[in-house]
Amino acid sequence: MNKTLMIMAAEIRTSLRRKSFVIIAIVIPLLFGLIALGIGVINRDAMETALVAAPASPAATSNQAGFVDAGGLIQTIPADVPAGWLTEYNNEAAAQAALQGGAIAGYYVIAPDYVQSGRVTYVTDEFSILSDHLDTTLLEQILLVNLLGGDARLAAAVQQPLDVQTTALAPVVAATEEAWITEMFPLFMVLILYMALIIPGGILISALIDEKKNRVMEVLMTSVSPAQMVTGKVAALGLLGLLMTALWLGVLWAVARFGGSALSIPAGFTIPISLLAWALIYFLGGYAIYGSQFAGIGALAPDVNQTKSVTWIVMLPIIAAYMFMAVSFDNPNSPLAVALSLFPLTSSVAMIGRMASTEVPLWQATLAAVLQFVTAYFIIRLTAQMFRAQYLLTGQPLSVKSFYRTLMGRA
Amino acid sequence: MQPVEVSHLKKAFGATQAVTDVSFAVERGEIFGLLGPNGAGKTTSIRLMLDIFQPDAGAVSILDGPMGEAKKNRIGYMPEERGLYQEMPLEPCLIYLATLKGVSKADARRRLQPYLERFDLAQHRAKKVKELSKGMQQKAQIINTVLHGPELLIMDEPFSGLDPVNTQLAKDLLLDLRQQGVTIIMSTHIMHQVEELCNRIVLINQGRNVLYGDLAQIQREYSGHAVRVKVAGELPPLAGVQAVTPHNGAIQLLLDQQTSPQDILQQLVSQHSAIEQFEIALPSLDEIFIRVVSEQ
């Protein structure tokens, strides 16, 4: 096997032995994914059961309930209430019998003074923490119609006074409903890219410094070339970062796809595969830019403590992009948002945040990617001179100044 | 062509001149001593030989030509400080480092077993390197250096941290390898080990050669006009002796310029002394080392 591939494989094995990396990159996203999938499956099964079950079915679903109108308020049942989903009983004894007979999952008792007190009691045969989320939508609708004298149209207007239609000149990528996922989605995308760039970079720095400290570097230098060694390490952590990004994006996609109403995800909400593909492209470009600089820091620094200030300065553009994300989310086509999404040092985070918020013209998305890869090419060329045995084996103090002097070939 | 030829090497790091003028050649199948006080330029010279650093001037020929990536698999290098992955278990660590030297995984595993047994590390193969004692790590480092079957070994302080039993194990290994034709360069401060193992040496001080050549010849050059004698009973009075000093249970006699060792031997025989030891007093390498470095 090629020595670069050997180093790459060894670095992957070593990184996968790091508990912190495995937890953040693999365990947490898989756990979230499984939870989302589980909730989705349970939710879908419940829906299917409810739709298939006949009203006479001995085992009632949570959709089948009864009510006892002690105050005589309800005169009209709106036509759109599905038959058998809310059955009226003349008294509590009859409702209780139906409950015990399995015809209904529970029943409401509307208090005689409901108009003054608003009191409604729900009776069920047993309490379960899993079924404590009671869907009262139908009863609310029936009460509202009857409070408004049986006028179903007026009730509908009271329930939803606004019917705003949003018209976009360009096709809308994601659902525009005011759901949490719609609001949080761009932030999630940005966070995933941010983590995927930072975490492997940190591991890369500490892996190089560890090898310098325990003198393995000197042994490696007599087995492989500095270029083979650094290429193997950077590629290994890039691959792990890509895996991490793909896993987190996959989880986000699974939540959107299978979470359904159980996670309050609007029916029309989908994550376009093209967006996920762009995220992977921007990760690769961003990692090439930042990963090579992190590798340079690891090559120059004698210990981890001396890397902090330099790492912070190197990361500054990406931190700035993250901080300005609020502007991008509010107005994704503002000049600042567009500039950040095209500037190569910020585009990996800023462009994906923008793309998750709005439709970005293809030429801008492509230009950002091209600029990223061109910048990465030059940064890799500049950082390559840091991977000399002289730097890898000597322990000169590292400062921001010395880092940039070496980067510019003036050390 | 000799397997290692180093000619007028020069290397500076900024304002520090690490190596000023170092030259030597190592013959095939010999154990060669690379000696010098701390900071003399030994490690830099080794790194220049291995092409880890580029010299400012001078030339290096390793295994019949300039050093290159392909030759790295034919060389075993052991740095002074241990160079093993502390968090890895011993066996996978040694196998991985051997594969980087061009040995297949299966072959590395097969070669490793006898070495682990020879150095009494077989039962520790699954332990993390950091869990091994200093001596065990040193033995593991020696195994790492020889596991891929190199033609040229360069070892910096190979016996550091080893007890006498393990030191002997390591020496026996080096002698076996020399027997098999492996060329060995050994850098150390422990002079009696050099005297025991090395045929030839170079002594570097302040980045320059100060002594170079055959060890016995160097000792002869630095010997004074003296003999060491041990006789049963009292030493009889001897003519031509300027000074008498005890030396490791024997007596060292400093002779005047007109008296030869043969004259002294003749006097002892004629006086019927029971001679237990009689030898030309050669200075130890320690003495030569101190003398040369002090003069510098």
Side-chain angles (χ1 to χ4, degrees), chain A residues 213-286:
Chain A
K213 278 173 78 176
N214 59 28
R215 314 289 287 198
V216 177
M217 188 68 79
E218 195 156 353
V219 174
L220 289 179
M221 290 289 95
T222 59
S223 301
V224 299
S225 68
Q228 283 174 320
M229 192 194 66
V230 176
T231 308
K233 284 182 185 302
V234 171
L237 287 156
L239 202 66
L240 288 175
L242 195 66
L243 170 75
M244 183 178 160
T245 312
L247 266 176
W248 274 104
L249 291 175
V251 167
L252 199 56
W253 182 84
V255 168
R257 174 76 179 78
F258 300 111
S261 60
L263 293 178
S264 306
I265 294 182
F269 185 83
T270 53
I271 300 177
I273 297 296
S274 60
L275 181 63
L276 302 183
W278 278 114
L280 293 178
I281 290 169
Y282 291 130
F283 164 76
L284 287 174

Side-chain angles (χ1 to χ4, degrees), chain A residues 3 6-7 10 13 17 211 214-216 218-225 228 233 389-390 393-394, chain B residues 11 13 47 50 52-53 69 72-73 77 79 81-86 88 96 99-101 144:
Chain A
K3 287 184 179 180
M6 281 183 202
I7 286 179
R13 280 197 298 272
R17 276 198 291 266
E211 284 179 353
N214 59 28
R215 314 289 287 198
V216 177
E218 195 156 353
V219 174
L220 289 179
M221 290 289 95
T222 59
S223 301
V224 299
S225 68
Q228 283 174 320
K233 284 182 185 302
Q390 191 161 325
L393 295 180
T394 53
Chain B
K11 179 71 181 176
F13 298 105
R47 288 175 175 175
L50 291 171
I52 294 175
F53 292 163
E69 286 301 315
K72 286 184 173 177
N73 292 355
Y77 172 52
E81 290 173 67
R82 284 162 206 91
L84 297 172
Y85 288 99
Q86 296 292 306
M88 271 178 94
Y96 168 59
T99 58
L100 289 182
K101 288 284 192 182
N144 178 50

Side-chain angles (χ1 to χ4, degrees), chain A residues 36-343:
Chain A
L37 203 66
I39 290 172
V41 169
I42 291 166
N43 189 45
R44 194 179 52 192
D45 288 350
M47 292 287 284
E48 283 170 359
T49 310
L51 289 170
V52 168
S57 169
T61 71
S62 59
N63 293 319
Q64 292 169 299
F67 71 90
V68 177
D69 182 15
L73 172 70
I74 295 173
Q75 304 298 320
T76 309
I77 299 288
D80 56 348
V81 172
W85 280 36
L86 203 58
T87 310
E88 182 170 9
Y89 293 95
N90 292 331
N91 53 52
E92 269 206 73
Q96 211 161 22
L99 174 64
Q100 283 165 353
I104 54 174
Y107 63 88
Y108 300 95
V109 179
I110 303 163
D113 61 344
Y114 168 78
V115 176
Q116 288 79 36
S117 68
R119 192 157 51 86
V120 174
T121 308
Y122 181 71
V123 180
T124 185
D125 52 354
E126 60 182 33
F127 176 77
S128 162
I129 197 159
L130 294 173
S131 60
D132 68 339
H133 176 69
L134 189 60
D135 188 356
T136 58
T137 316
L138 278 180
L139 185 66
E140 283 171 33
Q141 188 190 351
I142 292 168
L143 287 169
L144 191 60
V145 168
N146 284 279
L147 284 169
L148 294 169
D151 189 337
R153 285 180 60 193
L154 184 60
V158 168
Q159 264 184 326
Q160 197 172 354
L162 291 176
D163 183 15
V164 178
Q165 299 294 317
T166 304
T167 305
L169 293 176
V172 178
V173 173
T176 52
E177 284 183 60
E178 286 300 317
W180 68 271
I181 193 146
T182 320
E183 289 177 7
M184 300 296 285
F185 176 61
L187 182 66
F188 285 152
M189 291 296 288
V190 166
L191 264 176
I192 289 170
L193 264 285
Y194 184 78
M195 281 196 312
L197 291 176
I198 300 303
I199 292 172
I203 294 175
L204 185 58
I205 291 176
S206 69
L208 281 162
I209 290 175
D210 279 353
E211 284 179 353
K212 287 171 80 167
K213 278 173 78 176
N214 59 28
R215 314 289 287 198
V216 177
M217 188 68 79
E218 195 156 353
V219 174
L220 289 179
M221 290 289 95
T222 59
S223 301
V224 299
S225 68
Q228 283 174 320
M229 192 194 66
V230 176
T231 308
K233 284 182 185 302
V234 171
L237 287 156
L239 202 66
L240 288 175
L242 195 66
L243 170 75
M244 183 178 160
T245 312
L247 266 176
W248 274 104
L249 291 175
V251 167
L252 199 56
W253 182 84
V255 168
R257 174 76 179 78
F258 300 111
S261 60
L263 293 178
S264 306
I265 294 182
F269 185 83
T270 53
I271 300 177
I273 297 296
S274 60
L275 181 63
L276 302 183
W278 278 114
L280 293 178
I281 290 169
Y282 291 130
F283 164 76
L284 287 174
Y287 179 76
I289 291 172
Y290 286 98
S292 56
Q293 290 185 84
F294 289 146
I297 293 170
L300 296 185
D303 62 67
V304 174
N305 288 335
Q306 292 193 34
T307 64
K308 288 174 184 166
S309 56
V310 185
T311 308
W312 195 83
I313 294 290
V314 166
M315 281 169 52
L316 207 54
I318 209 165
I319 294 171
Y322 184 69
M323 288 171 71
F324 281 113
M325 272 297 98
V327 177
S328 201
F329 295 158
D330 288 345
N331 190 355
N333 290 319
S334 66
L336 178 62
V338 173
L340 287 172
S341 67
L342 292 177
F343 182 56

